[in-house]
Amino acid sequence: MRIGLIVTPIAGLGGAAGLKGTDGAGVPALALQRGAEPLSGRRAAEALRVALSELATPLEILTVAGAMGGEAARAAGMSPTLLGLRAGDPTTRGDTMAIASALIDAGVDLILFAGGDGTARDVVSVTGETVPVLGIPTGVKMHSAVFATSPASAGRLVAMLASASDSRIALAPREVMDIDEDELRAGVVSASLHGYGLVPVERRMMQPAKGA
């Protein structure tokens, strides 16, 4: 099974710094100044380690060099195939969408991503319901139903999907929701539907969509 990996390094920084999200110019830098630590890479590596521990055969991981995937894959003890793309610093949603498009072109069977609702929105804007996706929860808002309940759950689901003899996991479209962080900072929670992603159907290990 060929797994495409995307990590959003800045996901969750704003929430950890009390900024109610990471969207907005200058917010990631401010969050880092306040002491927030990037967690997406660690959580992606954790998911991959769990997947590897439950599989008898290795996974093929396709990603990009650096913080958007390669570092996490190597931290999990893997030797990923690197795409010829280079993300910006700080990374942008354009980087996420470009990587998702390149992974589809490379013929991956699943796109595994670490981030929040914004990352889910960017990935699914490219994949639609044609390529399965699975989110490793890293963000703050987490309204979408395309995320596993934890990095470990994401790893177990990857292992189950990658097992050729395992037909227990069905795939179905689920909601990608996101909220306006400027409104959130003003005390207004307004969640909007931004599409559907094709994800594993497993109630114990996938989180449901959240309403406002």
Side-chain angles (χ1 to χ4, degrees):
M1 188 175 189
R2 309 185 86 199
I3 306 292
L5 176 65
I6 301 175
V7 176
T8 302
I10 63 173
L13 288 178
L19 299 172
K20 297 184 179 180
T22 313
D23 293 348
V27 175
L30 178 58
L32 291 170
Q33 290 174 10
R34 291 188 178 184
E37 295 184 8
L39 296 176
S40 294
R42 298 181 202 173
R43 292 179 179 175
E46 179 185 348
L48 291 174
R49 282 192 289 267
V50 170
L52 288 173
S53 72
E54 300 199 2
L55 281 171
T57 56
L59 286 172
E60 183 180 0
I61 298 292
L62 283 75
T63 187
V64 294
M68 288 200 76
E71 292 175 0
R74 290 197 168 92
M78 307 184 73
S79 298
T81 299
L82 299 179
L83 303 174
L85 297 176
R86 186 170 296 276
D89 185 17
T91 61
T92 67
R93 60 187 306 244
D95 293 322
T96 300
M97 291 187 285
I99 296 168
S101 180
L103 290 172
I104 292 172
D105 290 343
V108 297
D109 301 296
L110 170 76
I111 292 182
L112 179 68
F113 65 90
D117 288 329
T119 305
R121 180 177 172 180
D122 296 338
V123 169
V124 171
S125 73
V126 177
T127 64
E129 298 175 33
T130 59
V131 177
V133 299
L134 177 59
I136 303 166
T138 302
V140 177
K141 301 159 292 183
M142 312 305 296
H143 282 258
S144 300
V146 296
F147 290 95
T149 55
S150 68
S153 293
R156 293 187 185 100
L157 285 165
V158 168
M160 293 173 76
L161 289 167
S163 299
S165 61
D166 195 333
S167 59
R168 291 176 291 169
I169 302 295
L171 297 172
R174 292 292 184 265
E175 301 94 332
V176 173
M177 308 288 292
D178 200 5
I179 63 176
D180 187 308
E181 290 185 2
D182 289 332
E183 290 187 358
L184 179 63
R185 293 178 185 118
V188 179
V189 178
S190 178
S192 299
L193 177 67
H194 292 279
Y196 294 85
L198 190 64
V199 299
V201 179
E202 222 298 338
R203 289 185 179 180
R204 296 168 300 168
M205 291 187 280
M206 292 293 292
Q207 73 173 31
K210 298 175 185 175

